[in-house]
Amino acid sequence: MRRSAALRSLVRETRLDLDAFVMPLFVGPDTRPNPELPPLGRFSVEELVGEVEGLVRLGVPAVILFGIPEEKDDEGSGAWDEDGIVQRALRALRPRFPELLLLTDVCLCEYTAHGHCGVLRDGEVANDESLELLARTAVSHVAAGADAVAPSDMMDGRVGAIRAALDDAGNEATPILSYAAKYASAFYGPFREAAESTPSFGDRRGYQMDPANVREALRECELDLEEGADVLMVKPAMPNLDVIRAVRESFDVPVAAYNVSGEYAMLKAAAAKGWLDEQQAAVEALTAIKRAGADVVVSYWTKELAQWL
Ligand SMILES: [Zn+2]
């Protein structure tokens, strides 16, 4: 059954379908292309509209927005500002692309001067105080046109806080895609450059997960489900295929995986050196993520994949 392309295709167990892919996009006060890693460049709101138009034309069904504000402060107030960067982007995109799924990342780290995912008290992230700000951010995104929100902060209790706030605001039908098992990973490097979200001191190991743990990932997923998560996400994807599989087998809700910037960058860099064929390597990696059990894949390759498919 492997003798010809047609036979192989007939019995292929896992297929890449653009419908399952989400393209991450960065929006900021100005456009700053990234020539080496184009999807990690940033767009002004105006130029974002043009980029999204191209994606829609290619058949990309969904995007997730990350915002880089003009100014940062200790509380990260740009995150829930009615006139904040993501809110402005949503209001520009929503009427123009009614069919496109608009997801938003909900976190404070792009908006806080210190770069942590919550507010600080005595030099430490204050979990419970951060919840209200995250919930306010999610509600403001939905008011501006988001179809679903994706909290990535890893504070305890944030899914429940966001669910309650969305319901209070009359958004009972808005789903929450939770970054349920988000590891403290070295593979986020290029993203942090793009989103300007590198912590100014310390690291995120106090709230993100230890990459050595898988039982803890299931516990995190269980808590998020109890709090009302609709989709469980594992991040990063390639170093955690076993975690994706374990989440897939333990829960019956959709599972998402974030194929992060470092995973993208390492194959890009190897391809640029002539060491790998990028398209073949990317398709193999994305297929493995789906084979591991991901229903939804957030990937910087989404635009290129749309062209390859
Ligand atoms: Zn964050």
Side-chain angles (χ1 to χ4, degrees), residues 28-95:
D30 52 4
T31 294
R32 285 191 210 171
N34 182 332
E36 286 180 300
L37 301 171
L40 285 125
R42 87 165 69 140
F43 297 98
S44 65
V45 172
E46 296 70 37
E47 303 220 16
L48 181 73
V49 171
E51 176 68 13
V52 169
E53 204 170 351
L55 291 170
V56 168
R57 212 175 303 129
L58 284 167
V60 171
V63 300
I64 181 164
L65 299 179
F66 296 86
I68 302 108
E70 214 144 345
E71 279 168 30
K72 301 178 186 235
D73 58 30
D74 282 345
E75 305 268 279
S77 63
W80 61 84
D81 185 347
E82 222 179 287
D83 206 30
I85 187 73
V86 165
Q87 291 82 353
R88 293 209 309 271
L90 287 165
R91 283 197 295 267
L93 296 174
R94 183 72 294 162

Side-chain angles (χ1 to χ4, degrees), residues 188-202:
Y188 303 148
F191 172 92
R192 287 185 183 166
E193 292 270 301
E196 292 179 357
S197 65
T198 308
S200 59
F201 68 92

Side-chain angles (χ1 to χ4, degrees), residues 127-191:
N127 189 96
D128 293 8
E129 265 179 76
S130 304
L131 298 183
E132 195 222 332
L133 305 180
L134 292 161
R136 217 188 285 176
T137 302
V139 170
S140 78
H141 287 177
V142 176
D147 291 297
V149 290
S152 63
D153 52 281
M154 287 300 278
M155 300 296 133
D156 284 344
R158 92 273 203 216
V159 173
I162 289 172
R163 182 73 272 159
L166 288 175
D167 291 355
D168 281 348
N171 305 122
E172 295 92 346
T174 303
I176 298 174
L177 188 159
S178 170
Y179 288 69
K182 182 179 180 184
Y183 288 91
S185 170
F187 288 91
Y188 303 148
F191 172 92

Side-chain angles (χ1 to χ4, degrees), residues 66 105 152 179-185 188 191 208 233-237 239-240 243-244 256-261 263 300:
F66 296 86
D105 181 83
S152 63
Y179 288 69
K182 182 179 180 184
Y183 288 91
S185 170
Y188 303 148
F191 172 92
Q208 294 182 351
M233 183 144 77
V234 176
K235 178 181 179 183
N240 298 308
V243 181
I244 296 171
Y258 200 135
N259 174 231
V260 303
S261 60
E263 299 172 51
Y300 298 96

Side-chain angles (χ1 to χ4, degrees), residues 19-22 62 103 177 231-233 254-258 289-290 293-298:
D19 284 348
F21 281 81
V22 181
L103 315 184
L177 188 159
V231 181
L232 298 170
M233 183 144 77
V255 175
Y258 200 135
I289 293 166
K290 291 230 69 186
D295 302 293
V296 179
V297 183
V298 181

Side-chain angles (χ1 to χ4, degrees), residues 105 107-110 116-117 152-153 182 204 208:
D105 181 83
C107 199
L108 301 182
C109 56
E110 296 113 283
H116 278 284
C117 301
S152 63
D153 52 281
K182 182 179 180 184
R204 297 197 173 101
Q208 294 182 351

